[in-house]
Amino acid sequence: MNDAQNPGVPPAGVEPSTPTAPLTTENAAAAAPAPRVFEAQFGIGDVVRHRLFPFRGVIFDVDPEFANTEEWWQAIPEEIRPRKDQPFYHLLAENEESAYIAYVSQQNLVREERPEPVHHPAVPQLFGKFENGRYILRSSIRN
């Protein structure tokens, strides 16, 4: 018997297909792979250190995922360029020579083991006390 005589039976060597439901908005969401969700490991007021470069700082803002320009991201050498699908932190940063603002991915930060105050000149504008190894955001700054 050939295929024309027995419709619905696949030819030899071909796996039968499983009937699929029409694609709708309800089943499309279920069929799509879930995006990676990262929880922020650090919070505002935490003192952190860069994993690769010699600077440290205090976090003053958090983006749930990359929120800078494509040009900024492309300027990072490819071999150390961070993924965009993770939290990024705004730091009042300092190194031995200067104080500045840094934008750093979560994968490149580590918590200071024994945090000491950060000497960035903007720290007093945003933060009050430094206690238990972290800064307390001024109440006038909070949302």
Short mmCIF file of all heavy atoms in Angstrom, two decimals, residues 71-95:
data_model
loop_
_atom_site.label_atom_id
_atom_site.label_comp_id
_atom_site.label_asym_id
_atom_site.label_seq_id
_atom_site.Cartn_x
_atom_site.Cartn_y
_atom_site.Cartn_z
N GLU A 71 27.45 52.37 22.61
CA GLU A 71 28.83 52.83 22.40
C GLU A 71 29.69 52.56 23.65
O GLU A 71 30.82 52.10 23.54
CB GLU A 71 28.82 54.32 22.07
CG GLU A 71 30.18 54.91 21.83
CD GLU A 71 30.12 56.39 21.52
OE1 GLU A 71 29.57 57.16 22.35
OE2 GLU A 71 30.61 56.78 20.46
N TRP A 72 29.14 52.84 24.83
CA TRP A 72 29.86 52.58 26.08
C TRP A 72 30.19 51.10 26.19
O TRP A 72 31.31 50.72 26.51
CB TRP A 72 29.02 53.05 27.26
CG TRP A 72 29.66 52.87 28.60
CD1 TRP A 72 30.43 53.77 29.27
CD2 TRP A 72 29.59 51.71 29.43
NE1 TRP A 72 30.85 53.22 30.48
CE2 TRP A 72 30.34 51.96 30.58
CE3 TRP A 72 28.96 50.47 29.30
CZ2 TRP A 72 30.48 51.04 31.62
CZ3 TRP A 72 29.10 49.54 30.32
CH2 TRP A 72 29.85 49.83 31.46
N TRP A 73 29.19 50.25 25.93
CA TRP A 73 29.36 48.80 26.06
C TRP A 73 30.38 48.28 25.06
O TRP A 73 31.24 47.46 25.39
CB TRP A 73 28.01 48.12 25.89
CG TRP A 73 28.00 46.68 26.24
CD1 TRP A 73 28.05 46.12 27.49
CD2 TRP A 73 27.94 45.59 25.32
NE1 TRP A 73 28.02 44.76 27.39
CE2 TRP A 73 27.95 44.41 26.07
CE3 TRP A 73 27.85 45.51 23.94
CZ2 TRP A 73 27.89 43.15 25.49
CZ3 TRP A 73 27.80 44.26 23.35
CH2 TRP A 73 27.82 43.10 24.14
N GLN A 74 30.32 48.76 23.81
CA GLN A 74 31.24 48.31 22.76
C GLN A 74 32.68 48.75 23.04
O GLN A 74 33.62 48.13 22.55
CB GLN A 74 30.79 48.83 21.39
CG GLN A 74 29.54 48.18 20.86
CD GLN A 74 29.73 46.73 20.46
OE1 GLN A 74 30.84 46.28 20.17
NE2 GLN A 74 28.65 45.99 20.47
N ALA A 75 32.86 49.81 23.81
CA ALA A 75 34.20 50.30 24.13
C ALA A 75 34.95 49.37 25.09
O ALA A 75 36.17 49.46 25.21
CB ALA A 75 34.13 51.71 24.71
N ILE A 76 34.23 48.49 25.74
CA ILE A 76 34.87 47.53 26.66
C ILE A 76 35.48 46.42 25.82
O ILE A 76 34.82 45.87 24.94
CB ILE A 76 33.83 46.95 27.64
CG1 ILE A 76 33.21 48.07 28.47
CG2 ILE A 76 34.47 45.89 28.54
CD1 ILE A 76 31.99 47.63 29.26
N PRO A 77 36.74 46.06 26.08
CA PRO A 77 37.34 44.97 25.30
C PRO A 77 36.47 43.71 25.37
O PRO A 77 35.98 43.33 26.43
CB PRO A 77 38.70 44.75 25.99
CG PRO A 77 38.99 46.06 26.65
CD PRO A 77 37.66 46.63 27.05
N GLU A 78 36.28 43.07 24.24
CA GLU A 78 35.36 41.94 24.13
C GLU A 78 35.65 40.83 25.14
O GLU A 78 34.73 40.23 25.70
CB GLU A 78 35.39 41.38 22.71
CG GLU A 78 34.30 40.36 22.45
CD GLU A 78 34.21 39.96 21.00
OE1 GLU A 78 34.89 40.56 20.15
OE2 GLU A 78 33.45 39.02 20.74
N GLU A 79 36.92 40.58 25.40
CA GLU A 79 37.26 39.48 26.31
C GLU A 79 36.83 39.73 27.76
O GLU A 79 36.74 38.79 28.56
CB GLU A 79 38.75 39.11 26.24
CG GLU A 79 39.70 40.23 26.65
CD GLU A 79 40.06 41.19 25.51
OE1 GLU A 79 39.49 41.09 24.41
OE2 GLU A 79 40.90 42.07 25.76
N ILE A 80 36.56 40.98 28.11
CA ILE A 80 36.09 41.27 29.47
C ILE A 80 34.72 41.97 29.48
O ILE A 80 34.24 42.38 30.53
CB ILE A 80 37.12 42.10 30.27
CG1 ILE A 80 37.37 43.44 29.61
CG2 ILE A 80 38.41 41.32 30.49
CD1 ILE A 80 38.15 44.41 30.48
N ARG A 81 34.10 42.07 28.32
CA ARG A 81 32.80 42.76 28.21
C ARG A 81 31.74 41.97 28.97
O ARG A 81 31.55 40.78 28.76
CB ARG A 81 32.42 42.88 26.74
CG ARG A 81 31.23 43.78 26.50
CD ARG A 81 30.94 43.93 25.02
NE ARG A 81 32.07 44.53 24.33
CZ ARG A 81 32.40 44.27 23.07
NH1 ARG A 81 31.70 43.42 22.35
NH2 ARG A 81 33.44 44.86 22.52
N PRO A 82 31.00 42.63 29.86
CA PRO A 82 29.99 41.91 30.65
C PRO A 82 28.71 41.64 29.86
O PRO A 82 28.43 42.31 28.86
CB PRO A 82 29.69 42.88 31.80
CG PRO A 82 29.97 44.23 31.22
CD PRO A 82 31.11 44.03 30.25
N ARG A 83 27.97 40.67 30.31
CA ARG A 83 26.64 40.41 29.75
C ARG A 83 25.74 41.59 30.09
O ARG A 83 25.93 42.25 31.10
CB ARG A 83 26.03 39.14 30.36
CG ARG A 83 26.80 37.88 30.05
CD ARG A 83 26.15 36.66 30.69
NE ARG A 83 25.60 36.91 32.01
CZ ARG A 83 26.28 36.81 33.15
NH1 ARG A 83 27.55 36.47 33.13
NH2 ARG A 83 25.70 37.05 34.31
N LYS A 84 24.72 41.83 29.27
CA LYS A 84 23.80 42.93 29.52
C LYS A 84 22.61 42.51 30.38
O LYS A 84 21.92 43.36 30.93
CB LYS A 84 23.25 43.48 28.19
CG LYS A 84 24.27 44.20 27.35
CD LYS A 84 23.61 44.71 26.09
CE LYS A 84 24.55 45.50 25.25
NZ LYS A 84 23.89 46.00 24.02
N ASP A 85 22.37 41.22 30.50
CA ASP A 85 21.18 40.71 31.18
C ASP A 85 21.39 40.48 32.68
O ASP A 85 21.10 39.42 33.21
CB ASP A 85 20.71 39.42 30.52
CG ASP A 85 21.73 38.29 30.64
OD1 ASP A 85 22.90 38.56 30.98
OD2 ASP A 85 21.36 37.13 30.41
N GLN A 86 21.93 41.46 33.34
CA GLN A 86 22.21 41.38 34.77
C GLN A 86 22.13 42.78 35.36
O GLN A 86 22.16 43.76 34.63
CB GLN A 86 23.60 40.79 34.99
CG GLN A 86 24.72 41.68 34.42
CD GLN A 86 26.08 41.08 34.60
OE1 GLN A 86 26.42 40.64 35.68
NE2 GLN A 86 26.88 41.07 33.53
N PRO A 87 22.04 42.88 36.67
CA PRO A 87 22.05 44.22 37.29
C PRO A 87 23.37 44.95 37.02
O PRO A 87 24.44 44.34 36.96
CB PRO A 87 21.87 43.93 38.77
CG PRO A 87 21.18 42.61 38.81
CD PRO A 87 21.75 41.84 37.66
N PHE A 88 23.25 46.28 36.87
CA PHE A 88 24.41 47.17 36.76
C PHE A 88 24.28 48.20 37.87
O PHE A 88 23.17 48.64 38.19
CB PHE A 88 24.45 47.86 35.38
CG PHE A 88 25.09 47.03 34.32
CD1 PHE A 88 24.45 45.91 33.81
CD2 PHE A 88 26.35 47.34 33.84
CE1 PHE A 88 25.04 45.14 32.82
CE2 PHE A 88 26.95 46.57 32.85
CZ PHE A 88 26.30 45.47 32.34
N TYR A 89 25.40 48.59 38.43
CA TYR A 89 25.43 49.46 39.60
C TYR A 89 26.16 50.76 39.30
O TYR A 89 27.18 50.77 38.63
CB TYR A 89 26.14 48.75 40.75
CG TYR A 89 25.45 47.46 41.14
CD1 TYR A 89 25.74 46.27 40.50
CD2 TYR A 89 24.49 47.45 42.15
CE1 TYR A 89 25.10 45.09 40.85
CE2 TYR A 89 23.85 46.28 42.51
CZ TYR A 89 24.16 45.10 41.85
OH TYR A 89 23.51 43.94 42.20
N HIS A 90 25.62 51.85 39.84
CA HIS A 90 26.25 53.17 39.78
C HIS A 90 27.01 53.32 41.09
O HIS A 90 26.42 53.19 42.18
CB HIS A 90 25.20 54.27 39.66
CG HIS A 90 24.34 54.14 38.44
ND1 HIS A 90 24.55 54.89 37.30
CD2 HIS A 90 23.26 53.37 38.17
CE1 HIS A 90 23.64 54.58 36.40
NE2 HIS A 90 22.84 53.65 36.91
N LEU A 91 28.30 53.61 40.99
CA LEU A 91 29.15 53.73 42.18
C LEU A 91 29.76 55.11 42.29
O LEU A 91 30.17 55.69 41.29
CB LEU A 91 30.33 52.76 42.11
CG LEU A 91 30.10 51.28 41.86
CD1 LEU A 91 31.44 50.57 41.79
CD2 LEU A 91 29.25 50.68 42.93
N LEU A 92 29.86 55.58 43.52
CA LEU A 92 30.77 56.68 43.83
C LEU A 92 32.09 55.97 44.07
O LEU A 92 32.29 55.32 45.10
CB LEU A 92 30.31 57.45 45.07
CG LEU A 92 28.95 58.13 44.96
CD1 LEU A 92 28.58 58.79 46.27
CD2 LEU A 92 28.93 59.14 43.83
N ALA A 93 32.95 56.00 43.07
CA ALA A 93 34.15 55.16 43.07
C ALA A 93 35.40 55.96 43.39
O ALA A 93 35.44 57.18 43.22
CB ALA A 93 34.30 54.50 41.70
N GLU A 94 36.41 55.23 43.84
CA GLU A 94 37.72 55.83 44.12
C GLU A 94 38.81 54.81 43.87
O GLU A 94 38.60 53.60 44.00
CB GLU A 94 37.78 56.33 45.57
CG GLU A 94 37.70 55.23 46.61
CD GLU A 94 37.70 55.74 48.03
OE1 GLU A 94 37.60 56.96 48.24
OE2 GLU A 94 37.81 54.90 48.94
N ASN A 95 39.95 55.33 43.46
CA ASN A 95 41.17 54.53 43.39
C ASN A 95 42.26 55.35 44.08
O ASN A 95 41.95 56.35 44.73
CB ASN A 95 41.52 54.14 41.95
CG ASN A 95 41.77 55.33 41.05
OD1 ASN A 95 42.13 56.42 41.49
ND2 ASN A 95 41.55 55.14 39.75
#
